[in-house]
Amino acid sequence: MATRPTEIPVPTRAVPRTSFWFALQSKWAPYLFVSPFLILFFTFGAYPIVKSLVLAFYVTNGPKSAVFVGLENFRFLLADDDFHKAVWNTAVFAFWSVFLQLPLSLGLALLLNSVWVKGREILRLTFFSPNLLGQVFVGVLFSVLFIPQYGLVNRFLHFLAKVPLDTKWLSNPDLVMPALVLTSLWMYVGFNMIYFLAALQAVDKDLYEAATVDGANAWHQFWAVTLPGIKPVAVFVLVMSTIGSFQLFELPWIMLNNSAGPDQAGLTIVMYLYQTGFVTGDLGYASTVGWTLALGVLMISLFQMRVTGAWKGGD
Amino acid sequence: MRFPYGPAAFSMLILSILSGIWLLLNPVPPKKATLVMWTFAKTHYDAYKQAIPSFEAKHPGVKVDLQLVSWQAVTSRLQAAFLSDLDVPDLVEVEISAAGSFFRGPLKDIGFRDLTDRIKQSGLYDRMVQARFAPYTSRGRIFGLPHDVHPVMIAYRRDLFEQLGIDPNEIETWDDFIRIGRKVTIPGKRYMLELPDSESSRFEPLLYQRGGGLFDPQGNCIMDNEIAVQTMMFYVPLVAGPNRIASDLGGGQIFTRAVEDGYFLCMITPDWRSKTIEVDVPKMRGKMALMPLPAVERGGRRTSTWGGTMIGITKHCKYPDLAWELALHLYLNKDDLAQRFRDTNILPALKEAWDHPAYDEPREYWSGQPLGRLYAQLAPDVPFQYTSPFVSVAKGKLSEALVACVQYYKQHGEKGFEEFVRKRLKQSADEVRRLMRRNPY
């Protein structure tokens, strides 16, 4: 005869004393705790986003007077030479910033990841330190460095390559963009280097040993081990740098003395948005520009992630 | 007893209760000042600080809170505050290039009070230089009292002129000036005149001198009319091409160095800039002098205007009569104006104030010339300068046209230049008009 296993008594949780107030607070307290975030988010995040979408269909004179114009703002945008110029300038800046910045950052990271480089800690700090400064400060600094006749950049280039001393970096429309890209490189190469450095240090050392045993030289190891190993970080840096480049505002605004520079050579999309909204006073059209920028950046980021295979996983 | 959501949540709760109690016990003190006034210029701020105590003494119980606010804040923050019905000061000084942007939208939505009746009834319209009301007028209504006239002269290195054998009295027209300039200019080392080739700040005074402008009295964009074309064709060869006599390096320390080095012999100088030069280039004391702007043709206008400030009373102001009295106190007291002139070199818009002896005092920096009298003699001839809510856009478009014309002239010289200038100015003006047409107000 089979014996019934002895039933082990399951310890039951003591039933709390249920009063009305306790039940009320246990139901609502979580909402109360998340409410500060929700209030702030809906007030300063969600509401402005929705409001700006609505405004994109109005011509306004500030928030008080608005006239509904339907899709007219978007039609105007398509034929707006200033907007086209802003898009072109921003795209050129993004292209050069990203395609110069990322290889330079990666190169520096590889250099500072090598054991034979002396004083790596100091060098890391040195290359990263420009990013500790604000864009406004860097803008002021470089506007002084780029001044004609007496500026350090011209003095150096004159010494090096007999570049004329009165070269006007910030008042010659052809030189404004190179000046902005150079300044941006100085500021962000070290910053992106830190990401690459962290990624390089996370690559499995055994893979290098195995590659060496298989007879791979340094170049092959870079292509077959290093690049795949840092790919997730490289894609992240690529996307973030592109987004950052499309949001460019403070640097040219300060370097070009609160203007778009000669022949609007430094006009960026965000600068145009600011000018439209707060100089011309048409918040409606500024919202149209803002939404176009947001959609544009979204599409570029999706394209980059698709091309780099970022959605396929970490392999 | 334990708090059911842990110590972190408990701390937050305690903190919020404590800060709430603190705020309840320490409410924001009510504003003590009767009138709040913003100015963007340090020199104005210093001068008004001295003038306000006598106003307060005349009005017992009245307190004026004068605040120095950056130029950018006045133009952008004030604009945003007006549009959003936020708290704004009672009186504000606004720089001329930004003034137009405050006049956009329906008249009822303009943040400043209409001062037309006060100005006309008090006789101020005739007592002040009338041309100076134009930049602060929109659709026939005046929204600001002009602070200044800002006539333009040419500041020059007197010592270098003497060394080079140049007699300023022989320079009557721009043709005279250019002829001499070509003799003394050494490209890359010395230029007759400081003029930029990439923005229109110095182009505009020369446009006004010829009777042109960005807008007409009705607010129509006229920056492509015949006067503008002729001005552009005159200006560009000064800053580009083989016969250029002008260059520009920038402001601040570089300007100081350039003047000291004799890189520029002459500078277009309104009254306010004469003080800037005194402060920025102190080593040139006794080596500088002023002469009238060369005329376009013999017997023509020998001055123009560059810059300006207005004072306006906001609609938010609870005591507009008191604010008006303060504006008059600051802008009409002859002795205060004279002292302010000594401090800033700025000629007031009130014509009767120029009789004060301060304007005849010789200035050591300017080789003993009576700076005030020189500017005052030119002031009645200052041209009108009309504005529009689209003035900032128009200035930008004019600068674009200038850059394009300079580039064309550098590449092609005189060949086809006039046609290009006409086309480019029209393009810029059309862009401004296109934006204006979008304005439903």
Side-chain angles (χ1 to χ4, degrees):
Chain A
M1 183 181 150
T3 56
R4 277 186 73 187
T6 312
E7 281 188 13
I8 301 167
V10 177
T12 51
R13 211 174 148 198
V15 177
R17 195 165 49 89
T18 51
S19 71
F20 169 75
W21 290 111
F22 188 85
L24 191 72
Q25 67 87 24
S26 62
K27 185 178 177 189
W28 290 107
Y31 298 105
L32 191 69
F33 284 120
V34 295
S35 62
F37 164 76
L38 288 178
I39 290 168
L40 289 175
F41 173 72
F42 281 108
T43 309
F44 298 109
Y47 172 72
I49 288 172
V50 174
K51 179 75 180 173
S52 71
L53 184 60
V54 174
L55 271 178
F57 299 96
Y58 285 82
V59 168
T60 74
N61 175 46
K64 279 195 292 188
S65 1
V67 175
F68 182 74
V69 291
L71 291 171
E72 174 54 30
N73 282 344
F74 290 92
R75 268 197 289 271
F76 189 83
L77 187 88
L78 290 176
D80 184 353
D81 289 341
D82 289 341
F83 179 71
H84 298 165
K85 187 151 207 166
V87 171
W88 174 252
N89 288 342
T90 311
V92 169
F93 176 84
F95 178 85
W96 287 113
S97 292
V98 171
F99 288 96
L100 287 176
Q101 210 176 91
L102 298 196
L104 280 173
S105 299
L106 179 58
L108 269 181
L110 287 168
L111 197 70
L112 296 187
N113 198 40
S114 311
V115 285
W116 50 268
V117 175
K118 302 273 186 241
R120 282 182 295 170
E121 288 75 15
I122 293 290
L123 287 172
R124 274 178 211 160
L125 178 68
T126 308
F127 286 121
F128 178 75
S129 58
N131 200 260
L132 299 174
L133 307 170
Q135 284 201 17
V136 172
F137 183 88
V138 174
V140 172
L141 182 72
F142 273 79
S143 61
V144 175
L145 290 175
F146 279 123
I147 56 176
Q149 204 71 22
Y150 307 108
L152 272 183
V153 173
N154 276 356
R155 292 267 159 186
F156 178 69
L157 291 176
H158 182 72
F159 170 76
L160 211 66
K162 289 288 169 211
V163 171
L165 276 175
D166 57 357
T167 302
K168 296 174 178 176
W169 287 88
L170 302 178
S171 48
N172 179 339
D174 298 330
L175 296 179
V176 166
M177 193 50 71
L180 291 177
V181 172
L182 274 175
T183 308
S184 150
L185 285 181
W186 182 80
M187 199 169 174
Y188 291 114
V189 162
F191 180 71
N192 289 326
M193 177 200 76
I194 295 294
Y195 283 115
F196 283 123
L197 207 52
L200 286 172
Q201 286 167 359
V203 177
D204 191 349
K205 300 285 181 289
D206 293 346
L207 293 174
Y208 288 106
E209 284 175 22
T212 309
V213 170
D214 288 347
N217 62 22
W219 183 245
H220 288 136
Q221 286 184 20
F222 175 73
W223 278 108
V225 178
T226 309
L227 270 188
I230 63 169
K231 187 179 162 186
V233 171
V235 172
F236 172 77
V237 172
L238 175 72
V239 172
M240 294 310 287
S241 298
T242 309
I243 292 173
S245 298
F246 272 88
Q247 291 175 337
L248 182 72
F249 174 66
E250 298 99 315
L251 207 60
W253 188 249
I254 296 295
M255 285 176 72
L256 300 169
N257 200 15
N258 298 354
S259 77
D263 201 22
Q264 309 228 61
L267 183 71
T268 64
I269 301 175
V270 179
M271 194 188 288
Y272 186 54
L273 187 157
Y274 172 80
Q275 285 182 340
T276 310
F278 298 100
V279 179
T280 315
D282 189 349
L283 294 172
Y285 190 51
S287 300
T288 310
V289 174
W291 272 97
T292 310
L293 170 67
L295 292 175
V297 169
L298 179 69
M299 277 160 53
I300 291 169
S301 302
L302 293 178
F303 175 75
Q304 284 177 333
M305 291 172 80
R306 186 179 172 81
V307 166
T308 52
W311 284 327
K312 289 177 189 165
D315 52 342
Chain B
M1 181 182 135
R2 285 182 60 202
F3 190 70
Y5 301 102
F10 182 71
S11 319
M12 284 166 64
L13 185 67
I14 294 296
L15 261 179
S16 53
I17 290 170
L18 286 178
S19 53
I21 292 170
W22 189 87
L23 282 172
L24 274 176
L25 296 176
N26 298 278
V28 177
K31 257 196 324 192
K32 283 180 187 162
T34 325
L35 294 172
V36 176
M37 179 178 162
W38 279 7
T39 182
F40 63 91
K42 177 77 167 67
T43 47
H44 296 193
Y45 177 81
D46 292 339
Y48 300 157
K49 268 279 172 207
Q50 292 171 25
I52 282 173
S54 58
F55 177 79
E56 289 174 337
K58 257 195 263 176
H59 300 84
V62 168
K63 176 95 182 127
V64 178
D65 179 10
L66 178 68
Q67 298 177 8
L68 181 64
V69 181
S70 81
W71 182 86
Q72 279 89 353
V74 172
T75 51
S76 56
R77 261 175 48 198
L78 182 64
Q79 186 71 261
F82 272 152
L83 295 171
S84 316
D85 278 337
L86 296 176
D87 199 17
V88 292
D90 302 288
L91 294 103
V92 189
E93 281 197 329
V94 179
E95 206 267 338
I96 196 166
S97 60
S101 62
F102 286 96
F103 307 147
R104 65 179 168 231
L107 278 173
K108 68 176 177 54
D109 282 354
I110 292 176
F112 286 107
R113 284 175 186 270
D114 181 349
L115 301 179
T116 316
D117 296 339
R118 287 181 189 271
I119 287 169
K120 296 231 165 129
Q121 281 161 16
S122 61
L124 277 177
Y125 193 67
D126 298 317
R127 289 165 67 197
M128 295 180 126
V129 179
Q130 285 187 1
R132 300 306 287 168
F133 286 104
Y136 315 123
T137 302
S138 180
R139 287 155 277 185
R141 311 307 297 174
I142 306 170
F143 292 93
L145 205 56
H147 170 267
D148 38 51
V149 188
H150 292 334
V152 167
M153 297 186 80
I154 294 265
Y156 63 96
R157 281 283 301 269
R158 183 191 52 76
D159 56 333
L160 293 181
F161 260 44
E162 284 172 9
Q163 279 176 31
L164 294 164
I166 304 170
D167 180 1
N169 296 315
E170 285 180 5
I171 301 174
E172 194 190 335
T173 64
W174 279 110
D175 287 341
D176 300 334
F177 187 88
I178 292 166
R179 194 181 59 250
I180 292 169
R182 284 186 181 150
K183 283 185 200 161
V184 299
T185 293
I186 305 168
K189 289 191 175 169
R190 183 172 68 208
Y191 291 93
M192 180 66 169
L193 184 60
E194 181 216 25
L195 280 185
D197 59 1
S198 57
E199 48 92 7
S200 63
S201 64
R202 260 43 71 87
F203 178 88
E204 287 173 43
L206 301 183
L207 181 64
Y208 299 137
Q209 184 190 18
R210 290 166 180 251
L214 300 173
F215 297 94
D216 68 10
Q218 287 74 43
N220 301 309
C221 181
I222 54 163
M223 54 190 262
D224 58 345
N225 67 9
E226 190 56 30
I227 298 174
V229 171
Q230 294 307 319
T231 310
M232 188 65 87
M233 289 180 58
F234 156 77
Y235 188 95
V236 172
L238 296 179
V239 297
N243 293 321
R244 65 186 286 199
I245 62 163
S247 182
D248 171 51
L249 293 177
Q253 291 179 2
I254 188 173
F255 174 78
T256 304
R257 181 89 183 268
V259 176
E260 286 174 0
D261 289 354
Y263 190 83
F264 304 123
L265 294 180
C266 301
M267 290 138 277
I268 289 180
T269 308
D271 50 0
W272 59 267
R273 199 177 190 215
S274 68
K275 174 54 80 176
T276 310
I277 293 173
E278 286 177 23
V279 172
D280 286 352
V281 204
K283 283 186 189 166
M284 291 299 105
R285 176 177 287 271
K287 294 178 181 173
M288 301 290 295
L290 292 157
M291 64 175 165
L293 208 61
V296 176
E297 49 197 33
R298 273 179 218 291
R301 181 186 277 142
R302 298 294 304 268
T303 190
S304 183
T305 185
W306 178 12
T309 301
M310 66 160 237
I311 191 166
I313 299 171
T314 62
K315 283 182 178 162
H316 162 92
C317 177
K318 285 182 188 156
Y319 311 103
D321 292 334
L322 192 65
W324 174 248
E325 276 190 56
L326 177 59
L328 297 186
H329 179 80
L330 297 176
Y331 277 35
L332 301 187
N333 184 313
K334 284 167 90 172
D335 289 331
D336 283 354
L337 289 173
Q339 186 53 45
R340 209 173 304 156
F341 168 73
R342 289 190 183 104
D343 295 337
T344 64
N345 290 1
I346 293 175
L347 191 74
L350 185 72
K351 289 183 276 188
E352 66 215 40
W354 308 340
D355 298 335
H356 197 282
Y359 300 91
D360 290 306
E361 288 167 4
R363 296 296 186 89
E364 194 191 335
Y365 187 92
W366 298 100
S367 306
Q369 288 179 313
L371 181 124
R373 191 53 50 207
L374 293 178
Y375 279 111
Q377 281 166 354
L378 295 169
D381 210 18
V382 156
F384 278 70
Q385 180 185 352
Y386 300 101
T387 194
S388 152
F390 295 87
V391 67
S392 300
V393 178
K395 282 170 185 278
K397 293 293 170 196
L398 186 62
S399 292
E400 282 179 45
L402 172 63
V403 170
C405 291
V406 165
Q407 284 184 324
Y408 182 92
Y409 194 78
K410 279 179 181 169
Q411 287 167 14
H412 307 283
E414 294 288 345
K415 195 180 167 193
F417 184 55
E418 182 172 348
E419 196 187 337
F420 181 82
V421 168
R422 284 182 194 284
K423 205 175 101 187
R424 194 59 188 76
L425 279 172
K426 184 170 183 321
Q427 183 190 331
S428 282
D430 283 346
E431 285 168 13
V432 177
R433 291 183 192 118
R434 188 164 158 259
L435 268 177
M436 291 172 78
R437 273 198 300 274
R438 259 175 61 80
N439 182 13
Y441 306 104

